[in-house]
Amino acid sequence: MTTQKNQVLALSSAILLAAGCSPEPDMPPSSNINDYRGSASITQGIAKTVETNLFECKNGRSRVAGIGEITDTEGKVWTVPAKNNFVTAPKAVDLYEECANITPKSLADVNEDSVPVAVIDPDGEEVTGYIFADNYFELYINGTLVAVDTVPFTPFNSSIVKFKVKKPYIIAVKAIDWEENLGLGTEDNRGKAYHPGDGGFIASFSDGTVTNSDWQAQVFYTAPIYDLTCLSEIEGRRLSETCTTEGTDDGQNAYAAHWETPSNWMGKDFDSTSWPQATLYSEDEIGVDNKNAYMNFIEKFSGAGASFIWSTNVVLDNKVLLRYEVK
Ligand SMILES: [Ca+2]
Ligand SMILES: [Ca+2]
Ligand SMILES: [Ca+2]
């Protein structure tokens, strides 16, 4: 095995040398920013911090949730990890939120009657929703922003929302996998300064709606990318499944791919037919078994038949928009 591998390495080194290339492992990314031909706008390196921290945990530890801006090669400015309404929007009621000392052991310890009802249709049905996001969500019903997550990054929390609406209606969610290294898609974690964190979103609603593969999920920000040739696009799907972050410590020079967000993406009339179906992820893949914000209410998540959803890459895709029509 080792001998075969050495032969292959020797052969590829010989080919690289013959082609005039260096086989050194620290060679720069094999694709240049100017060679990229996909539909994304590409940035490289760290963003300028424009908001140092959106959230202070008064009761424990939280990761710094900043906002950054970075300019692409055409002069367009991108907000990372994403534009959001955290400061101004109505906050969801916490099911579980350590920083606010809200730590019920189960739903029986939650006063669901105290949750305010967002009225979309006065003669509609009242619906209760249970939401867990890694890391942040904004929930729209028929284009109206009903509530946003109270914790942008960590600690992990969960939320309860209520709204009154008539069927059919559209649920639209902006989901953000937050980042410490703004513009680079990474965080200091697991002994690595540039660890790519993962995302994930799960919800169930009292009218029987659950997150599953019938939802649509489109990505608008992918990072870190170390070799732009790993990005591809097939029939509206923005793919990064062959992208790897293994074997690189050069996180400060990572590329990021950005796509423009349609202004009415959350609206009832928005045409999302080109968006891919959501990809499903297991609880093990998201890593929730040590998270009380999820496990204490699991009856309303996987126990209700809901699945974790995201776009095709739950690690590198950091801003994902979700849509689902409740018929
Ligand atoms: Ca959160
Ligand atoms: Ca990520
Ligand atoms: Ca995350």
Side-chain angles (χ1 to χ4, degrees):
M1 197 64 184
T2 308
T3 310
Q4 269 184 354
K5 199 176 166 189
N6 285 343
Q7 282 171 348
V8 170
L9 282 172
L11 185 60
S12 48
S13 295
I15 292 167
L16 285 167
L17 284 171
C21 302
S22 161
E24 295 303 315
D26 60 349
M27 58 194 289
S30 60
S31 80
N32 185 289
I33 197 165
N34 297 313
D35 297 334
Y36 173 74
R37 291 290 174 264
S39 68
S41 297
I42 304 296
T43 58
Q44 185 176 22
I46 196 153
K48 188 181 101 188
T49 299
V50 295
E51 178 69 56
T52 310
N53 190 8
L54 290 175
F55 179 79
E56 296 279 355
C57 184
K58 294 182 184 69
N59 177 43
R61 300 197 320 173
S62 62
R63 284 184 184 274
V64 171
I67 300 280
E69 286 182 352
I70 188 164
T71 307
D72 67 26
T73 48
E74 307 199 320
K76 184 174 166 52
V77 176
W78 298 87
T79 300
V80 287
K83 285 186 182 162
N84 63 81
N85 299 291
F86 178 78
V87 174
T88 53
K91 300 286 191 297
V93 171
D94 293 306
L95 274 177
Y96 193 98
E97 208 277 81
E98 290 167 30
C99 298
N101 267 323
I102 299 168
T103 57
K105 298 245 179 321
S106 75
L107 204 58
D109 298 335
V110 176
N111 180 8
E112 297 192 58
D113 293 338
S114 69
V115 178
V117 181
V119 177
I120 311 300
D121 298 315
D123 54 343
E125 174 192 356
E126 187 176 301
V127 180
T128 305
Y130 307 87
I131 301 170
F132 175 92
D134 182 345
N135 296 94
Y136 175 77
F137 73 89
E138 299 191 339
L139 174 72
Y140 292 85
I141 301 296
N142 282 351
T144 296
L145 183 53
V146 164
V148 305
D149 198 337
T150 58
V151 184
F153 203 165
T154 66
F156 288 94
N157 62 311
S158 49
S159 309
I160 179 169
V161 296
K162 286 186 179 179
F163 51 87
K164 201 175 226 194
V165 69
K166 283 201 294 195
K167 292 177 180 174
Y169 67 96
I170 297 283
I171 304 176
V173 176
K174 176 183 285 183
I176 303 175
D177 174 27
W178 218 278
E179 58 193 21
E180 254 170 358
N181 304 310
L182 297 172
L184 302 175
T186 51
E187 61 197 40
D188 188 344
N189 202 344
R190 304 183 191 212
K192 289 172 72 180
Y194 299 101
H195 175 77
D198 62 357
F201 179 85
I202 190 167
S204 81
F205 298 85
S206 58
D207 62 359
T209 304
V210 293
T211 46
N212 58 30
S213 59
D214 292 333
W215 287 51
Q216 290 177 293
Q218 182 60 294
V219 56
F220 290 84
Y221 170 46
T222 302
I225 305 293
Y226 295 109
D227 175 354
L228 291 168
T229 62
C230 69
L231 294 173
S232 66
E233 292 167 51
I234 302 168
E235 291 168 353
R237 288 181 299 150
R238 299 161 178 171
L239 303 172
S240 54
E241 51 208 353
T242 67
C243 298
T244 179
T245 60
E246 292 301 317
T248 178
D249 297 315
D250 195 21
Q252 70 274 16
N253 288 321
Y255 294 111
H258 311 259
W259 288 268
E260 187 69 48
T261 302
S263 58
N264 61 334
W265 69 271
M266 74 294 276
K268 204 173 179 182
D269 299 329
F270 179 72
D271 180 4
S272 60
T273 45
S274 70
W275 285 18
Q277 300 305 118
T279 302
L280 302 185
Y281 296 91
S282 69
E283 291 171 329
D284 278 353
E285 285 172 293
I286 306 298
V288 286
D289 59 357
N290 60 348
K291 295 182 174 70
N292 292 337
Y294 180 87
M295 297 303 288
N296 291 7
F297 312 96
I298 197 165
E299 68 189 273
K300 292 298 182 185
F301 298 124
S302 61
S307 297
F308 274 100
I309 59 172
W310 203 251
S311 55
T312 55
N313 195 327
V314 77
V315 176
L316 300 185
D317 292 346
N318 303 318
K319 173 187 175 184
V320 172
L321 301 183
L322 309 167
R323 278 178 65 92
Y324 180 73
E325 181 180 24
V326 179
K327 298 210 165 70

